[in-house]
Amino acid sequence: MTATPEILLDGNGHNWRTIALAGTMKLEGDQLNGEGENLTWSTKNIQEQRIVATYITECLEQFTDNYVEEGPRTVRAANLVHLRSDFTFSLKDNDHIGNLLQALHPTPAVCGLPKLETFRFIMNNEHTPRRYYSGFIGPMGTEETHLYVSLRCMNIDGDVCHLYAGGGLLKDSILEQEWNETEAKLQTMLQLLRD
């Protein structure tokens, strides 16, 4: 099972979109009555989102010169808010969608930068298999494509449920805050298990 607010690639024909989604804050108390529009974002969260948005821009520039970035803006997903930039773009042809996907994924939010070096580091040092976490899911077809990054996942194995989520680490990250953010990201799935 997966729950994700992050679009990897969505579109049909020549019209496409993707998003840069990074930075997370938990809504609490009176904040739950709104969409997080009055929150002040930390420098770390702003930098994290800008890294992902810049990466997407660099990827898109390899395939098109016809793209628009809007944002970042605050968006709500359950009791969390994220910083999100929307990218809309067109492609002259769809013959290179696979190459575009390979450029976009894995995103810096799940792999880090520089991509090849951090990917190797993760493969050599991360001891828990990610399974579906940080992959992508959704239908991909000749008519329409709707692919999402698997950011929050649950693997059900008999009576045992393994939950997956992560946080964006920068040099200014505070590990306890990152851990708390990861726990907050899993609350929606944990609530399903409690009900």
mmCIF file of all heavy atoms in Angstrom, residues 27-39 76:
data_model
loop_
_atom_site.group_PDB
_atom_site.id
_atom_site.type_symbol
_atom_site.label_atom_id
_atom_site.label_comp_id
_atom_site.label_asym_id
_atom_site.label_seq_id
_atom_site.Cartn_x
_atom_site.Cartn_y
_atom_site.Cartn_z
ATOM 1 N N LEU A 27 1.116 19.996 11.058
ATOM 2 C CA LEU A 27 0.118 20.943 11.559
ATOM 3 C C LEU A 27 -0.378 20.462 12.914
ATOM 4 O O LEU A 27 -0.645 19.280 13.106
ATOM 5 C CB LEU A 27 -1.058 21.038 10.586
ATOM 6 C CG LEU A 27 -0.758 21.587 9.194
ATOM 7 C CD1 LEU A 27 -1.994 21.507 8.322
ATOM 8 C CD2 LEU A 27 -0.248 23.011 9.268
ATOM 9 N N GLU A 28 -0.541 21.414 13.833
ATOM 10 C CA GLU A 28 -1.015 21.067 15.171
ATOM 11 C C GLU A 28 -1.975 22.139 15.667
ATOM 12 O O GLU A 28 -1.912 23.292 15.234
ATOM 13 C CB GLU A 28 0.166 20.931 16.130
ATOM 14 C CG GLU A 28 1.143 19.838 15.722
ATOM 15 C CD GLU A 28 2.340 19.739 16.647
ATOM 16 O OE1 GLU A 28 3.148 20.682 16.687
ATOM 17 O OE2 GLU A 28 2.438 18.706 17.330
ATOM 18 N N GLY A 29 -2.854 21.744 16.567
ATOM 19 C CA GLY A 29 -3.751 22.705 17.212
ATOM 20 C C GLY A 29 -4.596 23.464 16.211
ATOM 21 O O GLY A 29 -5.210 22.887 15.315
ATOM 22 N N ASP A 30 -4.641 24.783 16.347
ATOM 23 C CA ASP A 30 -5.445 25.640 15.482
ATOM 24 C C ASP A 30 -4.986 25.611 14.028
ATOM 25 O O ASP A 30 -5.753 25.952 13.130
ATOM 26 C CB ASP A 30 -5.431 27.087 15.985
ATOM 27 C CG ASP A 30 -6.206 27.252 17.287
ATOM 28 O OD1 ASP A 30 -7.048 26.371 17.590
ATOM 29 O OD2 ASP A 30 -5.964 28.250 17.997
ATOM 30 N N GLN A 31 -3.739 25.221 13.798
ATOM 31 C CA GLN A 31 -3.226 25.138 12.424
ATOM 32 C C GLN A 31 -4.022 24.126 11.588
ATOM 33 O O GLN A 31 -4.093 24.246 10.370
ATOM 34 C CB GLN A 31 -1.748 24.729 12.417
ATOM 35 C CG GLN A 31 -0.832 25.716 13.079
ATOM 36 C CD GLN A 31 0.572 25.156 13.235
ATOM 37 O OE1 GLN A 31 0.794 23.945 13.265
ATOM 38 N NE2 GLN A 31 1.541 26.059 13.364
ATOM 39 N N LEU A 32 -4.617 23.145 12.252
ATOM 40 C CA LEU A 32 -5.374 22.110 11.543
ATOM 41 C C LEU A 32 -6.638 22.657 10.891
ATOM 42 O O LEU A 32 -7.243 21.992 10.065
ATOM 43 C CB LEU A 32 -5.726 20.967 12.503
ATOM 44 C CG LEU A 32 -4.534 20.130 12.958
ATOM 45 C CD1 LEU A 32 -4.918 19.260 14.142
ATOM 46 C CD2 LEU A 32 -3.996 19.300 11.822
ATOM 47 N N ASN A 33 -7.042 23.867 11.243
ATOM 48 C CA ASN A 33 -8.243 24.479 10.662
ATOM 49 C C ASN A 33 -7.981 25.106 9.299
ATOM 50 O O ASN A 33 -8.908 25.510 8.616
ATOM 51 C CB ASN A 33 -8.815 25.535 11.610
ATOM 52 C CG ASN A 33 -9.291 24.913 12.903
ATOM 53 O OD1 ASN A 33 -9.782 23.802 12.923
ATOM 54 N ND2 ASN A 33 -9.110 25.631 13.997
ATOM 55 N N GLY A 34 -6.729 25.224 8.913
ATOM 56 C CA GLY A 34 -6.399 25.859 7.637
ATOM 57 C C GLY A 34 -5.592 24.946 6.748
ATOM 58 O O GLY A 34 -5.508 23.740 6.966
ATOM 59 N N GLU A 35 -4.973 25.552 5.762
ATOM 60 C CA GLU A 35 -4.163 24.820 4.796
ATOM 61 C C GLU A 35 -2.674 25.086 5.006
ATOM 62 O O GLU A 35 -1.865 24.786 4.126
ATOM 63 C CB GLU A 35 -4.566 25.203 3.363
ATOM 64 C CG GLU A 35 -5.994 24.825 3.021
ATOM 65 C CD GLU A 35 -6.230 23.318 3.060
ATOM 66 O OE1 GLU A 35 -5.418 22.569 2.501
ATOM 67 O OE2 GLU A 35 -7.242 22.898 3.666
ATOM 68 N N GLY A 36 -2.315 25.694 6.124
ATOM 69 C CA GLY A 36 -0.922 26.001 6.406
ATOM 70 C C GLY A 36 -0.449 27.286 5.764
ATOM 71 O O GLY A 36 0.749 27.556 5.701
ATOM 72 N N GLU A 37 -1.386 28.096 5.316
ATOM 73 C CA GLU A 37 -1.040 29.318 4.580
ATOM 74 C C GLU A 37 -0.332 30.365 5.438
ATOM 75 O O GLU A 37 0.333 31.251 4.901
ATOM 76 C CB GLU A 37 -2.283 29.924 3.925
ATOM 77 C CG GLU A 37 -3.381 30.312 4.882
ATOM 78 C CD GLU A 37 -4.340 29.183 5.273
ATOM 79 O OE1 GLU A 37 -4.171 28.032 4.809
ATOM 80 O OE2 GLU A 37 -5.245 29.461 6.058
ATOM 81 N N ASN A 38 -0.418 30.269 6.757
ATOM 82 C CA ASN A 38 0.196 31.276 7.627
ATOM 83 C C ASN A 38 1.484 30.796 8.292
ATOM 84 O O ASN A 38 2.017 31.475 9.157
ATOM 85 C CB ASN A 38 -0.803 31.714 8.709
ATOM 86 C CG ASN A 38 -2.019 32.390 8.103
ATOM 87 O OD1 ASN A 38 -1.899 33.142 7.149
ATOM 88 N ND2 ASN A 38 -3.188 32.111 8.653
ATOM 89 N N LEU A 39 1.968 29.642 7.896
ATOM 90 C CA LEU A 39 3.175 29.099 8.499
ATOM 91 C C LEU A 39 4.420 29.784 7.954
ATOM 92 O O LEU A 39 4.448 30.227 6.809
ATOM 93 C CB LEU A 39 3.273 27.597 8.226
ATOM 94 C CG LEU A 39 2.172 26.737 8.839
ATOM 95 C CD1 LEU A 39 2.323 25.297 8.392
ATOM 96 C CD2 LEU A 39 2.214 26.822 10.354
ATOM 97 N N ARG A 76 -1.211 21.178 1.578
ATOM 98 C CA ARG A 76 -1.528 20.300 2.704
ATOM 99 C C ARG A 76 -1.765 18.881 2.222
ATOM 100 O O ARG A 76 -2.408 18.655 1.189
ATOM 101 C CB ARG A 76 -2.774 20.818 3.427
ATOM 102 C CG ARG A 76 -3.113 20.019 4.661
ATOM 103 C CD ARG A 76 -4.216 20.649 5.470
ATOM 104 N NE ARG A 76 -4.568 19.795 6.595
ATOM 105 C CZ ARG A 76 -5.405 20.122 7.536
ATOM 106 N NH1 ARG A 76 -6.004 21.306 7.505
ATOM 107 N NH2 ARG A 76 -5.684 19.292 8.517
#
